[in-house]
């Protein structure tokens, strides 16, 4: 059960072309966001689509695959774990962000 403690699976579409960063060590880092949609009917019977955005980070081989094959609009399934961190913005305010650290990626659709 330890493998299930912090596990996330998402299917969504890339909201932007991934940002690829090559570190001094030669390691690659990919950053991108995916949108997931949930559709339901409200109390008036109207169809409502709720879109959630998820920040995703991938390293090394996964980042290389992302750099080569993924672009804005592509549908993907990712699996990974949630992490949270904080940073200071340009104005000195402390900001918090939650990201999915992607360790598996599956390209879906023909987009």
């Amino acid at each position: 059960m330890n493998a299930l403690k912090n596990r996330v699976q998402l299917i969504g579409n890339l909201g932007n072309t991934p940002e690829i960063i090559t570190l001094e060590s030669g390691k690659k880092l990919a950053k991108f966001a995916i949108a997931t949609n949930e559709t339901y009917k409200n109390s008036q019977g109207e169809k409502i689509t709720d879109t959630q955005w998820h920040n995703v980070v991938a390293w090394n081989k996964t980042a290389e695959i992302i750099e080569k094959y993924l672009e804005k609009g592509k549908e993907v399934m990712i699996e990974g774990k949630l992490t949270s961190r904080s940073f200071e913005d340009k104005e000195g305010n402390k900001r918090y962000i939650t990201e999915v650290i992607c360790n598996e990626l599956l390209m879906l659709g023909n987009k």
Side-chain angles (χ1 to χ4, degrees):
M1 286 296 248
N2 283 343
L4 298 177
K5 285 186 178 176
N6 186 358
R7 183 175 171 195
V8 176
Q9 291 181 321
L10 297 170
I11 296 175
N13 294 86
L14 271 73
N16 55 4
T17 298
E19 175 187 358
I20 307 298
I21 300 166
T22 303
L23 304 176
E24 288 181 19
S25 64
K27 290 184 178 184
K28 288 209 175 190
L29 167 65
K31 293 177 160 185
F32 58 98
I34 66 169
T36 56
N37 295 311
E38 180 181 357
T39 304
Y40 62 92
K41 288 189 178 182
N42 66 13
S43 58
Q44 290 80 35
E46 300 167 323
K47 183 178 170 183
I48 305 293
T49 300
D50 180 35
T51 302
Q52 296 291 317
W53 288 93
H54 311 275
N55 296 309
V56 182
V57 174
W59 292 90
N60 303 320
K61 284 281 189 201
T62 306
E64 291 174 18
I65 291 166
I66 289 166
E67 179 180 34
K68 191 171 183 179
Y69 296 106
L70 295 188
E71 59 191 26
K72 181 179 180 174
K74 281 271 195 184
E75 185 179 31
V76 294
M77 185 196 92
I78 62 163
E79 184 174 294
K81 66 179 183 174
L82 285 178
T83 61
S84 296
R85 62 183 173 88
S86 62
F87 64 95
E88 279 192 20
D89 65 15
K90 293 176 184 175
E91 291 80 37
N93 300 316
K94 194 166 191 173
R95 301 285 182 183
Y96 298 90
I97 188 168
T98 299
E99 299 168 314
V100 178
I101 306 298
C102 175
N103 55 31
E104 288 192 45
L105 171 80
L106 181 61
M107 292 172 269
L108 305 171
N110 294 323
K111 289 185 179 179

